[in-house]
Amino acid sequence: MEPNTHTKADGYSPLTLAFLGDGVYDLLVRETLVNNANRPAGELNRRKVALVNCKSQAEFAKLLAPSLTEKELAVYKRGRNAAPKCTPKNGSVADYHSATGLECLFGYLYINGEKERIDELFSIIINSAT
């Protein structure tokens, strides 16, 4: 997609995209964990929390950066630079902003129906985490 091409998701605020992207990312992690092994819910949740937290997501954002298109990088930065009204419980403010950028990217791709691209990027994340 060209950097100046306007999409449906461009009309949403970065924090709205991050709100949606948080759910998309969380579901991908849960689905992956369940598909990999039938474990007790407590263990699944412990493993999920290791992948769905601002520190891990900030690291995954750095990992993905070289694979992002110009437009995707701009969306990530838009989310990262947004000013959320809450502060992180566990993690630095910088990690929280990076995690918000990652979630914004996943929300952006989801609204635009780019499921294949979400799967590509998530595959990079999950392969680095295992």
Side-chain angles (χ1 to χ4, degrees):
M1 183 172 296
E2 292 298 317
N4 294 327
T5 303
H6 187 73
T7 68
K8 178 180 178 183
D10 290 321
Y12 291 92
S13 79
L15 295 179
T16 298
L17 293 172
F19 172 79
L20 178 60
D22 177 52
V24 171
Y25 179 81
D26 187 81
L27 182 59
L28 289 168
V29 168
R30 288 172 187 251
E31 181 180 34
T32 299
L33 292 173
V34 169
N35 285 336
N36 285 341
N38 186 11
R39 302 176 193 272
E43 186 178 338
L44 289 169
N45 191 59
R46 184 181 53 77
R47 290 173 181 244
K48 179 199 73 105
V49 169
L51 296 169
V52 183
N53 65 69
C54 67
K55 185 171 174 50
S56 292
Q57 287 176 280
E59 290 175 21
F60 296 143
K62 287 179 199 163
L63 176 72
L64 289 182
S67 302
L68 299 180
T69 66
E70 197 175 315
K71 177 66 176 184
E72 291 167 347
L73 188 58
V75 169
Y76 162 76
K77 287 179 179 178
R78 203 171 133 221
R80 184 195 63 196
N81 295 335
K85 300 293 183 224
C86 49
T87 56
K89 293 178 197 132
N90 302 306
S92 71
V93 171
D95 285 349
Y96 189 73
H97 283 274
S98 288
T100 302
L102 181 70
E103 292 167 350
C104 180
L105 175 61
F106 274 82
Y108 179 88
L109 293 171
Y110 183 84
I111 284 188
N112 286 331
E114 296 184 47
K115 174 76 170 104
E116 214 172 280
R117 183 61 175 155
I118 290 171
D119 291 342
E120 285 174 26
L121 295 177
F122 187 73
S123 184
I124 293 169
I125 289 171
I126 211 65
N127 288 335
S128 78
T130 55

